[in-house]
Amino acid sequence: MIAASERLESERRCGAPTGGAETGWAGRFVPEAALRGNTIREWSMTYVVTDNCVRCKYMDCVEVCPVDCFYEGENMLVIHPDECIDCGVCEPECPAEAIKPDTEPGLEKWLEVNAEYSEKWPNITMKRDAPSDAEKYDGQAGKFEQYFSSNPGQGD
Ligand code: SF4
Ligand code: SF4
């Protein structure tokens, strides 16, 4: 397994992957080496939780993840990049549309946030009630800078 930061650097150096195939696995590109038997984890991308989760934290995502790789902070969740199998199931479940594939441009910051706090916060697999004021914050810009808390959530 490689660290998320190492993977980012490796991907930057290599650019777009060559040689491989679109798989039926959520239609994602899997490099040839992975298809030959190397672990998918080293080669695949990940999904990340982004700004609009902050203070919304609806938690619909945690119940659909097949590998239980969500971690809970006081006011947002993150995905562990080394545990996510890139299945994409959680993305459409998020009412706040806060989950994105890290193949989208400009998400490097979020990969770092997800990688860092998934090592610090407790695992969560069961949905609880969203914050009572979640709707008020849904869609606001710049929530991370204004409201992010590095405190852990309660977890399962
Ligand atoms: S469903 Fe979306 S807003 Fe809710 S906790 Fe998951 S990522 Fe955050
Ligand atoms: S993409 Fe799949 S494995 Fe990754 S966090 Fe979402 S549901 Fe879990």
Side-chain angles (χ1 to χ4, degrees), residues 86-118:
D86 198 29
C87 70
V89 171
C90 57
E91 184 183 14
E93 297 297 322
C94 176
E97 299 183 3
I99 300 175
K100 310 282 183 197
D102 77 340
T103 47
E104 286 190 12
L107 294 182
E108 293 83 2
K109 162 188 163 181
W110 294 106
L111 181 55
E112 296 295 339
V113 168
N114 280 250
E116 177 177 353
Y117 289 98
S118 60

Side-chain angles (χ1 to χ4, degrees), residues 49 52-53 56-61 70 77 93-96 98-99:
V49 181
N52 206 32
C53 181
C56 284
K57 202 175 158 184
Y58 293 112
M59 290 177 273
D60 298 61
C61 53
F70 282 89
L77 302 191
E93 297 297 322
C94 176
I99 300 175

Side-chain angles (χ1 to χ4, degrees), residues 48-68:
V48 291
V49 181
T50 63
D51 198 63
N52 206 32
C53 181
V54 177
R55 296 198 78 154
C56 284
K57 202 175 158 184
Y58 293 112
M59 290 177 273
D60 298 61
C61 53
V62 302
E63 298 212 312
V64 299
C65 180
V67 294
D68 297 339

Side-chain angles (χ1 to χ4, degrees), residues 2-14 102 107-109 111-112:
I2 59 174
S5 56
E6 289 178 295
R7 188 168 43 144
L8 263 180
E9 184 52 35
S10 159
E11 285 163 9
R12 269 190 213 107
R13 281 199 306 271
C14 296
D102 77 340
L107 294 182
E108 293 83 2
K109 162 188 163 181
L111 181 55
E112 296 295 339

